[in-house]
Amino acid sequence: MSEECTHDCSTCGAGCDHVDAKDLIAPLNKDSAIKHVYAIMSGKGGVGKSSTTASPGRRHGQSGGYKVGIMDADITGPSIPTAFGLTERAVGDGESIFPEVTAGGIEVISLNLLLENKGDPVVWQGQPPCPAWSSSSGPTCVGGQLDYLFIDMPPGTGDVPLTVFQSIPVDGIVVVTSPQDLVSLIVTKAVRMANMMSKPILGVVENYSYFQCPNCGEKHYIFGQSNLEQVAAEENVKILARVPMDPAMAAAMDQGSMETLTPNYMEPVADAILAHEEAK
């Protein structure tokens, strides 16, 4: 840590490795209120963060009766709008951006909902944006009164995840991984960043864990048996769910029908979030 560090990041002009997750918390849009915020993150991409984010959001909204929003913070690879079949651009009035609403009533904001052409690349250099219900500058998203906001984080532990954790009061984190040999590195990096930011970890979800034959019911471990139990024990985190490779889930993500997909493999994630709130 720099000798000049005063632990006040707003006045720091020197290089410093001190991180305070509360220093940069931005105010909500004046017309919004959010009770609970949960982030879905991973140490790498392609492990199914978006499907994990969509599933508890759907459960809380449909059977839980809560008002739910999802923020797609993966600015260069957003997929939440596609998962819910949202095709219209979000509109604004210069001061506020209004989220799109899914058929089931989930409010969604994503950078892809702001692009004129959803296939246009987002080439961003410099301070990363934080397109959320709260932001430090520019138009913010007005989402009314939300019980839960779920954040689909970008992969890794770089600028955008750091900006989210510094500017939004996240109540808890779910880490997503896959059963390949990289699992220990993926989980370890995400867990340690969460600990650095003083964010509680509810547990780990392993996607693509196995394929279950629809004829005989036998489980086939396409990527091999993972060492998730060992890693979870070393990092002192719970295993919330092991999700199979289900072609129906892939089709639902592509066709925008995640709200009607059955079964909902992420029920344990939704249960863990509710249990965490009850334990506060």
Side-chain angles (χ1 to χ4, degrees):
M1 184 181 297
S2 171
E3 293 182 356
E4 293 81 12
C5 182
T6 64
H7 298 274
D8 180 1
C9 296
S10 64
T11 62
C12 184
C16 180
D17 61 1
H18 171 72
V19 178
D20 187 339
K22 296 182 179 178
D23 283 342
L24 303 177
I25 294 295
L28 279 172
N29 181 287
K30 60 182 178 61
D31 296 318
S32 298
I34 302 173
K35 294 180 181 178
H36 313 293
V37 182
Y38 287 88
I40 316 299
M41 73 174 297
S42 177
K44 71 180 293 292
V47 296
K49 291 185 303 300
S50 295
S51 59
T52 303
T53 305
S55 298
R58 159 195 165 196
R59 154 77 184 278
H60 277 62
Q62 289 179 343
S63 58
Y66 297 105
K67 187 71 173 177
V68 175
I70 294 180
M71 182 183 101
D72 191 348
D74 192 350
I75 60 173
T76 58
S79 54
I80 288 294
T82 299
F84 288 100
L86 298 175
T87 58
E88 298 296 323
R89 292 180 65 190
V91 298
D93 60 7
E95 294 184 359
S96 299
I97 301 170
F98 301 97
E100 287 297 294
V101 182
T102 70
I106 298 175
E107 299 184 9
V108 174
I109 188 64
S110 169
L111 201 57
N112 241 34
L113 295 175
L114 306 179
L115 299 177
E116 184 173 350
N117 183 345
K118 66 179 182 179
D120 289 342
V122 176
V123 182
W124 196 281
Q125 186 176 40
Q127 180 66 25
C130 189
W133 273 257
S134 60
S135 180
S136 57
S137 63
T140 56
C141 183
V142 50
Q145 312 298 306
L146 295 181
D147 294 304
Y148 287 92
L149 174 64
F150 296 99
I151 305 178
D152 183 9
M153 300 287 284
T157 54
D159 281 350
V160 178
L162 180 61
T163 299
V164 170
F165 288 139
Q166 287 181 317
S167 59
I168 299 176
V170 174
D171 294 294
I173 292 171
V174 174
V175 177
V176 183
T177 187
S178 60
Q180 294 139 308
D181 289 340
L182 284 171
V183 61
S184 59
L185 187 62
I186 296 169
V187 173
T188 299
K189 284 181 177 292
V191 167
R192 292 182 181 177
M193 180 178 188
N195 290 335
M196 181 191 304
M197 305 303 294
S198 300
K199 305 297 183 183
I201 301 169
L202 276 62
V204 180
V205 171
E206 183 181 79
N207 273 323
Y208 320 127
S209 185
Y210 57 89
F211 171 76
Q212 188 164 15
C213 177
N215 296 321
C216 68
E218 183 179 355
K219 293 181 179 179
H220 300 273
Y221 296 88
I222 307 299
F223 296 110
Q225 295 275 11
S226 75
N227 61 339
L228 185 59
E229 288 89 352
Q230 176 185 343
V231 175
E234 291 173 353
E235 298 297 333
N236 194 30
V237 294
K238 297 179 181 178
I239 300 175
L240 298 179
R242 280 190 143 107
V243 182
M245 300 175 68
D246 187 347
M249 178 175 286
M253 287 290 292
D254 291 340
Q255 298 168 7
S257 57
M258 280 297 291
E259 284 184 296
T260 59
L261 175 67
T262 56
N264 187 343
Y265 296 110
M266 305 298 176
E267 293 278 346
V269 178
D271 292 339
I273 292 170
L274 293 175
H276 182 256
E277 291 300 328
E278 292 174 357
K280 284 185 178 180

mmCIF file of all heavy atoms in Angstrom, residues 105-132:
data_model
loop_
_atom_site.group_PDB
_atom_site.id
_atom_site.type_symbol
_atom_site.label_atom_id
_atom_site.label_comp_id
_atom_site.label_asym_id
_atom_site.label_seq_id
_atom_site.Cartn_x
_atom_site.Cartn_y
_atom_site.Cartn_z
ATOM 1 N N GLY A 105 -42.923 -9.717 -16.465
ATOM 2 C CA GLY A 105 -42.853 -8.538 -15.611
ATOM 3 C C GLY A 105 -41.485 -8.195 -15.063
ATOM 4 O O GLY A 105 -41.363 -7.312 -14.209
ATOM 5 N N ILE A 106 -40.425 -8.842 -15.531
ATOM 6 C CA ILE A 106 -39.071 -8.518 -15.077
ATOM 7 C C ILE A 106 -38.554 -7.306 -15.843
ATOM 8 O O ILE A 106 -38.612 -7.273 -17.078
ATOM 9 C CB ILE A 106 -38.116 -9.711 -15.288
ATOM 10 C CG1 ILE A 106 -38.573 -10.920 -14.472
ATOM 11 C CG2 ILE A 106 -36.687 -9.336 -14.910
ATOM 12 C CD1 ILE A 106 -37.750 -12.171 -14.721
ATOM 13 N N GLU A 107 -38.055 -6.305 -15.127
ATOM 14 C CA GLU A 107 -37.506 -5.107 -15.760
ATOM 15 C C GLU A 107 -36.037 -5.345 -16.101
ATOM 16 O O GLU A 107 -35.269 -5.771 -15.246
ATOM 17 C CB GLU A 107 -37.661 -3.906 -14.829
ATOM 18 C CG GLU A 107 -39.122 -3.598 -14.506
ATOM 19 C CD GLU A 107 -39.293 -2.342 -13.668
ATOM 20 O OE1 GLU A 107 -38.293 -1.618 -13.482
ATOM 21 O OE2 GLU A 107 -40.411 -2.088 -13.197
ATOM 22 N N VAL A 108 -35.666 -5.081 -17.336
ATOM 23 C CA VAL A 108 -34.321 -5.394 -17.829
ATOM 24 C C VAL A 108 -33.664 -4.158 -18.416
ATOM 25 O O VAL A 108 -34.275 -3.423 -19.196
ATOM 26 C CB VAL A 108 -34.375 -6.506 -18.899
ATOM 27 C CG1 VAL A 108 -32.995 -6.717 -19.523
ATOM 28 C CG2 VAL A 108 -34.890 -7.806 -18.299
ATOM 29 N N ILE A 109 -32.402 -3.933 -18.029
ATOM 30 C CA ILE A 109 -31.597 -2.903 -18.665
ATOM 31 C C ILE A 109 -30.300 -3.542 -19.139
ATOM 32 O O ILE A 109 -29.703 -4.344 -18.442
ATOM 33 C CB ILE A 109 -31.310 -1.700 -17.729
ATOM 34 C CG1 ILE A 109 -30.646 -0.567 -18.500
ATOM 35 C CG2 ILE A 109 -30.487 -2.128 -16.520
ATOM 36 C CD1 ILE A 109 -31.504 0.042 -19.583
ATOM 37 N N SER A 110 -29.916 -3.210 -20.371
ATOM 38 C CA SER A 110 -28.718 -3.774 -20.982
ATOM 39 C C SER A 110 -28.210 -2.784 -22.013
ATOM 40 O O SER A 110 -28.995 -2.061 -22.640
ATOM 41 C CB SER A 110 -29.044 -5.113 -21.645
ATOM 42 O OG SER A 110 -27.974 -5.560 -22.453
ATOM 43 N N LEU A 111 -26.904 -2.752 -22.196
ATOM 44 C CA LEU A 111 -26.353 -1.854 -23.202
ATOM 45 C C LEU A 111 -26.874 -2.216 -24.590
ATOM 46 O O LEU A 111 -27.019 -1.345 -25.457
ATOM 47 C CB LEU A 111 -24.821 -1.913 -23.171
ATOM 48 C CG LEU A 111 -24.096 -0.709 -23.781
ATOM 49 C CD1 LEU A 111 -24.517 0.576 -23.092
ATOM 50 C CD2 LEU A 111 -22.595 -0.874 -23.688
ATOM 51 N N ASN A 112 -27.181 -3.496 -24.802
ATOM 52 C CA ASN A 112 -27.705 -3.893 -26.104
ATOM 53 C C ASN A 112 -29.098 -3.331 -26.367
ATOM 54 O O ASN A 112 -29.530 -3.256 -27.515
ATOM 55 C CB ASN A 112 -27.736 -5.425 -26.226
ATOM 56 C CG ASN A 112 -26.858 -5.904 -27.365
ATOM 57 O OD1 ASN A 112 -25.813 -5.312 -27.638
ATOM 58 N ND2 ASN A 112 -27.272 -6.961 -28.041
ATOM 59 N N LEU A 113 -29.811 -2.939 -25.321
ATOM 60 C CA LEU A 113 -31.117 -2.308 -25.487
ATOM 61 C C LEU A 113 -30.990 -0.827 -25.840
ATOM 62 O O LEU A 113 -31.990 -0.171 -26.122
ATOM 63 C CB LEU A 113 -31.947 -2.459 -24.213
ATOM 64 C CG LEU A 113 -32.341 -3.890 -23.839
ATOM 65 C CD1 LEU A 113 -33.066 -3.902 -22.494
ATOM 66 C CD2 LEU A 113 -33.215 -4.514 -24.926
ATOM 67 N N LEU A 114 -29.759 -0.316 -25.821
ATOM 68 C CA LEU A 114 -29.523 1.089 -26.141
ATOM 69 C C LEU A 114 -28.898 1.269 -27.517
ATOM 70 O O LEU A 114 -28.820 2.395 -28.018
ATOM 71 C CB LEU A 114 -28.605 1.727 -25.083
ATOM 72 C CG LEU A 114 -29.055 1.592 -23.632
ATOM 73 C CD1 LEU A 114 -28.038 2.251 -22.704
ATOM 74 C CD2 LEU A 114 -30.431 2.196 -23.426
ATOM 75 N N LEU A 115 -28.454 0.161 -28.131
ATOM 76 C CA LEU A 115 -27.815 0.247 -29.444
ATOM 77 C C LEU A 115 -28.845 0.304 -30.565
ATOM 78 O O LEU A 115 -29.902 -0.327 -30.484
ATOM 79 C CB LEU A 115 -26.910 -0.969 -29.660
ATOM 80 C CG LEU A 115 -25.750 -1.166 -28.680
ATOM 81 C CD1 LEU A 115 -25.009 -2.455 -29.016
ATOM 82 C CD2 LEU A 115 -24.801 0.020 -28.712
ATOM 83 N N GLU A 116 -28.526 1.047 -31.612
ATOM 84 C CA GLU A 116 -29.415 1.105 -32.769
ATOM 85 C C GLU A 116 -29.469 -0.245 -33.469
ATOM 86 O O GLU A 116 -30.516 -0.661 -33.963
ATOM 87 C CB GLU A 116 -28.930 2.193 -33.736
ATOM 88 C CG GLU A 116 -29.847 2.388 -34.928
ATOM 89 C CD GLU A 116 -29.433 3.579 -35.788
ATOM 90 O OE1 GLU A 116 -28.554 4.354 -35.358
ATOM 91 O OE2 GLU A 116 -29.994 3.734 -36.889
ATOM 92 N N ASN A 117 -28.339 -0.924 -33.500
ATOM 93 C CA ASN A 117 -28.246 -2.259 -34.093
ATOM 94 C C ASN A 117 -27.628 -3.180 -33.059
ATOM 95 O O ASN A 117 -26.491 -2.964 -32.627
ATOM 96 C CB ASN A 117 -27.380 -2.222 -35.355
ATOM 97 C CG ASN A 117 -27.304 -3.561 -36.064
ATOM 98 O OD1 ASN A 117 -27.656 -4.588 -35.498
ATOM 99 N ND2 ASN A 117 -26.821 -3.552 -37.287
ATOM 100 N N LYS A 118 -28.344 -4.216 -32.646
ATOM 101 C CA LYS A 118 -27.863 -5.075 -31.558
ATOM 102 C C LYS A 118 -26.586 -5.827 -31.917
ATOM 103 O O LYS A 118 -25.889 -6.325 -31.026
ATOM 104 C CB LYS A 118 -28.944 -6.067 -31.147
ATOM 105 C CG LYS A 118 -29.302 -7.097 -32.193
ATOM 106 C CD LYS A 118 -30.370 -8.047 -31.670
ATOM 107 C CE LYS A 118 -30.728 -9.130 -32.685
ATOM 108 N NZ LYS A 118 -31.755 -10.054 -32.161
ATOM 109 N N GLY A 119 -26.248 -5.882 -33.207
ATOM 110 C CA GLY A 119 -25.021 -6.540 -33.622
ATOM 111 C C GLY A 119 -23.809 -5.626 -33.625
ATOM 112 O O GLY A 119 -22.686 -6.078 -33.879
ATOM 113 N N ASP A 120 -24.012 -4.339 -33.341
ATOM 114 C CA ASP A 120 -22.885 -3.411 -33.303
ATOM 115 C C ASP A 120 -21.974 -3.721 -32.116
ATOM 116 O O ASP A 120 -22.459 -3.962 -31.004
ATOM 117 C CB ASP A 120 -23.383 -1.964 -33.169
ATOM 118 C CG ASP A 120 -24.042 -1.457 -34.442
ATOM 119 O OD1 ASP A 120 -23.822 -2.074 -35.498
ATOM 120 O OD2 ASP A 120 -24.790 -0.461 -34.363
ATOM 121 N N PRO A 121 -20.652 -3.697 -32.318
ATOM 122 C CA PRO A 121 -19.738 -3.952 -31.203
ATOM 123 C C PRO A 121 -19.674 -2.753 -30.272
ATOM 124 O O PRO A 121 -19.851 -1.604 -30.689
ATOM 125 C CB PRO A 121 -18.390 -4.167 -31.905
ATOM 126 C CG PRO A 121 -18.498 -3.336 -33.146
ATOM 127 C CD PRO A 121 -19.939 -3.449 -33.590
ATOM 128 N N VAL A 122 -19.449 -3.029 -29.008
ATOM 129 C CA VAL A 122 -19.234 -1.961 -28.031
ATOM 130 C C VAL A 122 -17.722 -1.858 -27.812
ATOM 131 O O VAL A 122 -17.118 -2.711 -27.167
ATOM 132 C CB VAL A 122 -19.955 -2.259 -26.705
ATOM 133 C CG1 VAL A 122 -19.644 -1.176 -25.676
ATOM 134 C CG2 VAL A 122 -21.452 -2.369 -26.946
ATOM 135 N N VAL A 123 -17.112 -0.842 -28.403
ATOM 136 C CA VAL A 123 -15.670 -0.640 -28.293
ATOM 137 C C VAL A 123 -15.454 0.474 -27.286
ATOM 138 O O VAL A 123 -15.666 1.647 -27.581
ATOM 139 C CB VAL A 123 -15.046 -0.281 -29.663
ATOM 140 C CG1 VAL A 123 -13.539 -0.129 -29.530
ATOM 141 C CG2 VAL A 123 -15.399 -1.350 -30.689
ATOM 142 N N TRP A 124 -15.054 0.094 -26.082
ATOM 143 C CA TRP A 124 -15.003 1.061 -24.981
ATOM 144 C C TRP A 124 -13.587 1.152 -24.442
ATOM 145 O O TRP A 124 -12.953 0.146 -24.161
ATOM 146 C CB TRP A 124 -15.952 0.619 -23.860
ATOM 147 C CG TRP A 124 -16.250 1.723 -22.890
ATOM 148 C CD1 TRP A 124 -15.456 2.164 -21.875
ATOM 149 C CD2 TRP A 124 -17.426 2.524 -22.858
ATOM 150 N NE1 TRP A 124 -16.056 3.205 -21.212
ATOM 151 C CE2 TRP A 124 -17.273 3.438 -21.794
ATOM 152 C CE3 TRP A 124 -18.596 2.548 -23.616
ATOM 153 C CZ2 TRP A 124 -18.260 4.366 -21.465
ATOM 154 C CZ3 TRP A 124 -19.561 3.470 -23.292
ATOM 155 C CH2 TRP A 124 -19.387 4.370 -22.229
ATOM 156 N N GLN A 125 -13.112 2.384 -24.298
ATOM 157 C CA GLN A 125 -11.797 2.608 -23.725
ATOM 158 C C GLN A 125 -11.916 3.633 -22.616
ATOM 159 O O GLN A 125 -12.667 4.599 -22.732
ATOM 160 C CB GLN A 125 -10.806 3.102 -24.790
ATOM 161 C CG GLN A 125 -9.372 3.217 -24.297
ATOM 162 C CD GLN A 125 -8.420 3.613 -25.410
ATOM 163 O OE1 GLN A 125 -8.745 4.449 -26.256
ATOM 164 N NE2 GLN A 125 -7.248 3.014 -25.436
ATOM 165 N N GLY A 126 -11.186 3.424 -21.546
ATOM 166 C CA GLY A 126 -11.246 4.357 -20.431
ATOM 167 C C GLY A 126 -12.170 3.867 -19.346
ATOM 168 O O GLY A 126 -12.461 2.680 -19.235
ATOM 169 N N GLN A 127 -12.668 4.790 -18.528
ATOM 170 C CA GLN A 127 -13.521 4.441 -17.400
ATOM 171 C C GLN A 127 -14.754 3.668 -17.869
ATOM 172 O O GLN A 127 -15.509 4.148 -18.716
ATOM 173 C CB GLN A 127 -13.966 5.713 -16.661
ATOM 174 C CG GLN A 127 -14.877 5.476 -15.460
ATOM 175 C CD GLN A 127 -14.175 4.742 -14.341
ATOM 176 O OE1 GLN A 127 -12.959 4.806 -14.225
ATOM 177 N NE2 GLN A 127 -14.926 4.031 -13.519
ATOM 178 N N PRO A 128 -14.967 2.457 -17.349
ATOM 179 C CA PRO A 128 -16.112 1.659 -17.809
ATOM 180 C C PRO A 128 -17.430 2.243 -17.350
ATOM 181 O O PRO A 128 -17.509 2.866 -16.289
ATOM 182 C CB PRO A 128 -15.866 0.291 -17.149
ATOM 183 C CG PRO A 128 -15.053 0.602 -15.935
ATOM 184 C CD PRO A 128 -14.176 1.759 -16.330
ATOM 185 N N PRO A 129 -18.477 2.068 -18.146
ATOM 186 C CA PRO A 129 -19.795 2.574 -17.759
ATOM 187 C C PRO A 129 -20.442 1.660 -16.747
ATOM 188 O O PRO A 129 -20.058 0.519 -16.582
ATOM 189 C CB PRO A 129 -20.572 2.537 -19.084
ATOM 190 C CG PRO A 129 -19.978 1.367 -19.794
ATOM 191 C CD PRO A 129 -18.511 1.371 -19.429
ATOM 192 N N CYS A 130 -21.456 2.160 -16.090
ATOM 193 C CA CYS A 130 -22.225 1.331 -15.168
ATOM 194 C C CYS A 130 -23.702 1.579 -15.450
ATOM 195 O O CYS A 130 -24.355 2.373 -14.781
ATOM 196 C CB CYS A 130 -21.889 1.674 -13.717
ATOM 197 S SG CYS A 130 -22.607 0.528 -12.528
ATOM 198 N N PRO A 131 -24.257 0.941 -16.502
ATOM 199 C CA PRO A 131 -25.629 1.211 -16.918
ATOM 200 C C PRO A 131 -26.633 0.571 -15.968
ATOM 201 O O PRO A 131 -27.151 -0.504 -16.211
ATOM 202 C CB PRO A 131 -25.683 0.569 -18.304
ATOM 203 C CG PRO A 131 -24.706 -0.560 -18.219
ATOM 204 C CD PRO A 131 -23.630 -0.114 -17.293
ATOM 205 N N ALA A 132 -26.907 1.235 -14.856
ATOM 206 C CA ALA A 132 -27.745 0.613 -13.838
ATOM 207 C C ALA A 132 -28.794 1.575 -13.336
ATOM 208 O O ALA A 132 -28.930 2.681 -13.815
ATOM 209 C CB ALA A 132 -26.860 0.147 -12.683
#
